[in-house]
Amino acid sequence: MTPRSGKPLSGIRIADFTVHAAGPFCTHMLSQLGAECIKIESAQRLDIFRKPHAVYGRAGPATFDQVASNKLSVRLNLKHPEGVALARRLVAASDVAAESFRAGVMERLGLGYADLCQVKPDIVMTSVSSSGQTGPDSHFAGYAPLFGAWGGLGHLTGYEDGPPVEMRHVMDHSVGMNAALATVAALHRRRRTGEGSHVDIAAREVASSLAGDALTAASAGVRMHRMGNADPQRAPHGLYASRQHDRWLSIAVSSDDEWAALTGIIGKPELASDPRYANAAARVAARDEVDAVVANWAAFVEADEAAEMLQEAGIAAHVSWRAEDIARDPHLAERGAVVSVSETDGGHRMAVGFPARFSGTDAPGLDRGTPGLGEHEEYVYGEILGLGRADRARLVEDRVIY
Amino acid sequence: MQQDTPLAGIRVVEHAAGVAGAWAGRLLAAMGAEVIMVEPPTLCPLRKEAPLFANGESALFEYVAAGKRSVVCDLETAVGRDVLAALLDTAQILIDDTPLQQRPQWGLDREGVAARHPDLVHLSVLPFGASGPKAGWTASEINLIHAGGEGYLLPNGLSAHLFPDRPPLKIAGHFAELQGGVAAALSALSALWFGTGQFVDASVQDANVAVGAFALQRYGDGSIEHRHTRSFRYGGVIECRDGYVELLTLEERQWQGLVHLMDDPEWARDEELNDPVTRSERGDAINAAIRAWAREHDVEELVARAQKLGVPMARYNTPEQILTGGHETARGTFQDVDVPGVGEVKIQAAPFRFSEAPLALSAAAPAPGADQDLVTSGAAAASRAGAAARTATA
């Protein structure tokens, strides 16, 4: 095949109606992969992630920039009939329409899958919701911690003697990542069959998919419960306090060879041949003793040095990283997993890049920062939809473009 | 095979010992790709990974290998490597999680695969990726959840409040590795969409840094997150008389609904609480009141009333409650799969669907070498032909 340039999804256009975190993260991934993503907003009802929420204990909206970067922004009032008509024209010029309202809202707006198929028969419509497009709970509103609670991940996570644990934004973004995957799969299907599809991603089902091994076991009668950092088949396995304040070392020993290597590193080589710890099952049975031995050593080490030493011996180890560590890591920077984004005001900020590298395409990533509300209307309404300056002025006047 | 599945007609060869690579293959299988596991004579190690069924077989393997095929192939031998090459001649995607230093010996190095199979999407799935200073590092799930930044921030809320001195906590199961699998599958399908054979270098750490993106953004904003302070000012995990619920009110109307749910208690009538910033400041007192109130109520009662009042609240479902849930049953979230030696188990095919009907797994996880005929008949012939062709052009 002749080499060509571009990012993996160059040439794909997305009409993006998503709000909050999960839906926008989906289109954010697709945008980094090269899709042209048009974020549709309205001054009348801003994406609620553009505004602050005091319940998080912060004054500003600290969650919008990452997922909005790279996208084009247009204002469009979907409460206005002409706004809906314009939305349909935008969809007709797109490959994908993505949304994350409660199930049924797009239909009520006149933008349901059937409506969109009328203007674009092979449209791939991606709907991200808390509980899916069908089923008795499909009208439920939800946020990440609720997805985790419904889907079982929350119940299964926690200290053995403690309560369940709430999932935070990683839960939303897992939903978005799965939605991005399903969207690209639907494009493959369109390429093969000529047909579009309505992709339904239920956040609670993403949560349950992430606990799928436990659910599969439970369906056969195995009792699954919270077990903190313990692993049923590995010891030592956990987080160990280093000599530095709040600097923890994660260690997981799977094999007997790794155990033998570890005993050398921690200065207890005699334990390598100690029958009490001879194999994984024995070490798991003596977990508390094994953990104590490692903890006694870890309390005197510098965490990063210890992790490197353990890795050199082939033992799975890593410091429990803070955002600061991620921001400063040369490995992540070299991979483009952490990047610097230029804002229109000339400022720079750190952001997360795409989590893979491609040898045969231009690198995915962020070319632009956060769009201003309606920043790209001339291109989208003018060039893509062919609306003249006077038409656009009239639509602004009538609060259709608003 | 269902012809209308998104990935019908795509063949994937999966050589994976870890959860991330296996999950990438599993998601593609659920969407209709033919995924052929290539197992060593010692078999895929995930076949022994917990959780286990009562008979000692792995429930995890059953979950991550459902719908796949299995071929046993010894890559230590030239014959085995030829069999793999023959399979790859018929495939569009290779998934491999072999550690870098081992790859050349098994014929799985990037350059060798590209030379033999120029049109193939070669998806590498490693804990820290195939390039960069830490490409050679190894990791288990617990290391990866911490390498991605989320581990340090867990637990938050009630657990952090109850046990402030305990070490950070991992998410149950294989959360981090599964993120790596999803991102890897997305990357492979995107490369395939582009249409050029290439090497795709996916990293489980990268995927976790990506889904943990907001921590980095807040760091840039000068706001450092910590598990002891990353709690909702009020709400969160709430203990009821007979279990736990999650409560999160972001919008004003949801807060008002919560006040009604609590039968408009005296303390909530304080007009200053109409200001969300004041509520945030008084979060500890509000939470104490919510917690005391909730302990007098049952989960079912609260959740039902909360729904009516538009208050986002969810029961912390046990696995059993999910497997038999009314919503899950109506949507067909779980598929009954007959597992030899275990009986009927419920497996979720995928967390997405392409119509009202759920995706369907084509079969239970394969027995070792269940599809050996794929390489002993047609593919073996292709192997010989392919080997001859390669020799001829070399």
Side-chain angles (χ1 to χ4, degrees), chain A residues 4 62 131 159 168 209 246 360, chain B residues 63 152 167 194 198 217 230:
Chain A
R4 55 195 175 97
S131 297
Y159 301 116
R168 299 294 296 269
S209 80
D246 203 29
Chain B
Y63 178 57
Y152 182 75
F194 192 78
Q198 58 180 304
Q217 184 174 315
R230 191 181 70 154

Side-chain angles (χ1 to χ4, degrees), chain A residues 1 4 6-9 12 25 33 48 53-58 62-63 65-66 131-137 140 143 145-146 149-152 154-159 161 163-166 168-170 173-174 177-178 181-182 185 187-189 191-192 198-200 204-206 208-210 212-213 215-220 222 228-229 232-234 237-239 246 248 250 252 311 316-318 320-324 326-327 331-332 334-335 337 352 354-361, chain B residues 3-6 8 31 48-53 59-60 63 110 128-135 137-138 140 142-143 146-150 152 155-156 159 162-163 166-172 174-175 178-179 182 185-187 189-190 193-195 198-201 203 205-207 209-211 213-219 221 226-227 230 232-233 236-237 244 246 248 250-251 254 276 280 307 312-319 322-323 327-328 330-331 333 345-346 348 351-354:
Chain A
M1 187 173 286
R4 55 195 175 97
K7 294 181 183 179
L9 300 184
I12 293 294
F25 193 83
L33 283 164
I48 73 165
H53 290 284
V55 73
Y56 289 111
R58 280 188 309 274
T63 55
D65 288 330
Q66 172 74 42
S131 297
Q133 300 298 303
T134 61
D137 298 351
F140 281 16
Y143 304 112
L146 282 81
W150 279 319
H155 171 84
L156 291 164
T157 300
Y159 301 116
D161 54 348
V165 169
E166 60 205 359
R168 299 294 296 269
H169 288 116
V170 293
H173 298 154
S174 308
M177 191 77 85
N178 274 281
L181 166 63
L187 287 170
H188 277 281
R189 180 174 179 272
R191 180 183 272 174
R192 194 183 72 253
H198 189 185
V199 185
D200 174 10
R204 71 199 277 174
E205 292 178 350
V206 173
S208 59
S209 80
L210 297 169
D213 53 340
L215 292 168
T216 301
S219 76
V222 180
N229 286 322
Q233 295 170 315
R234 292 174 182 82
H237 183 278
L239 271 286
D246 203 29
W248 306 80
S250 69
Q311 284 284 349
H318 204 279
S320 181
W321 265 11
R322 302 162 297 197
E324 180 185 358
I326 289 168
H331 178 75
L332 290 169
E334 182 176 323
R335 294 184 56 75
V352 163
F354 190 79
R357 293 159 61 97
F358 295 74
S359 72
T361 76
Chain B
Q3 285 309 306
D4 61 346
T5 52
M31 293 191 284
K48 294 181 178 163
E49 185 72 27
L52 306 177
F53 293 122
L60 177 128
Y63 178 57
R110 170 181 169 174
F128 300 93
S131 63
K134 284 162 80 173
W137 280 37
T138 183
S140 280
I142 194 165
N143 314 114
H146 286 278
E150 184 67 8
Y152 182 75
N156 47 200
S159 279
L162 291 171
F163 308 108
R166 290 193 184 178
L169 186 70
K170 73 186 277 288
I171 297 177
H174 296 264
F175 183 92
L178 294 169
Q179 303 304 323
V182 181
L186 166 64
S187 304
L189 284 191
S190 299
W193 176 264
F194 192 78
Q198 58 180 304
F199 183 73
V200 178
D201 168 13
S203 148
Q205 184 192 28
D206 287 3
V209 168
V211 297
F214 288 165
L216 188 65
Q217 184 174 315
R218 284 171 192 153
Y219 172 74
D221 294 343
H226 193 277
R227 59 191 174 281
R230 191 181 70 154
F232 298 119
R233 292 299 172 263
V237 180
Y244 294 93
E246 174 66 32
L248 177 56
L250 286 185
E251 303 284 319
Q254 295 167 343
S280 176
Q307 256 315 314
M313 182 185 278
R315 178 174 70 186
Y316 270 95
N317 282 329
T318 64
I322 296 163
L323 292 163
H327 185 72
E328 288 78 3
R331 278 173 65 78
T333 304
V345 303
K346 290 183 184 298
Q348 184 180 345
F352 38 69
R353 59 186 63 192
F354 298 84

Side-chain angles (χ1 to χ4, degrees), chain A residues 13 32 52 60 81 84 109 125 132 143 150 204 226 252 276 293 327 353 375 387 395 400:
Chain A
R13 180 179 292 149
Q32 291 214 37
V84 172
L109 289 169
M125 181 174 182
Y143 304 112
W150 279 319
R204 71 199 277 174
R226 292 188 274 280
R276 290 175 299 169
V293 169
E375 186 182 332
L387 289 175
L395 290 167
V400 174

Side-chain angles (χ1 to χ4, degrees), chain A residues 13 18 25 36 42 73 89 120 263 295 315:
Chain A
R13 180 179 292 149
T18 63
F25 193 83
E36 181 180 79
S42 170
S73 170
R89 287 180 64 183
K120 175 77 173 171
T263 59
I315 297 164

Side-chain angles (χ1 to χ4, degrees), chain A residues 274-360:
Chain A
D274 190 322
R276 290 175 299 169
Y277 316 122
N279 54 45
R283 290 189 294 274
V284 167
R287 171 180 289 139
D288 291 347
E289 293 165 42
V290 172
D291 272 343
V293 169
V294 178
N296 286 340
W297 164 78
F300 298 95
V301 302
E302 198 276 331
D304 296 80
E305 284 173 12
E308 287 205 25
M309 196 159 53
L310 292 165
Q311 284 284 349
E312 273 170 29
I315 297 164
H318 204 279
V319 174
S320 181
W321 265 11
R322 302 162 297 197
E324 180 185 358
D325 299 304
I326 289 168
R328 293 177 180 173
D329 181 40
H331 178 75
L332 290 169
E334 182 176 323
R335 294 184 56 75
V338 171
V339 296
S340 175
V341 179
S342 308
E343 295 291 5
T344 35
D345 66 6
H348 295 270
R349 64 179 167 77
M350 298 200 89
V352 163
F354 190 79
R357 293 159 61 97
F358 295 74
S359 72

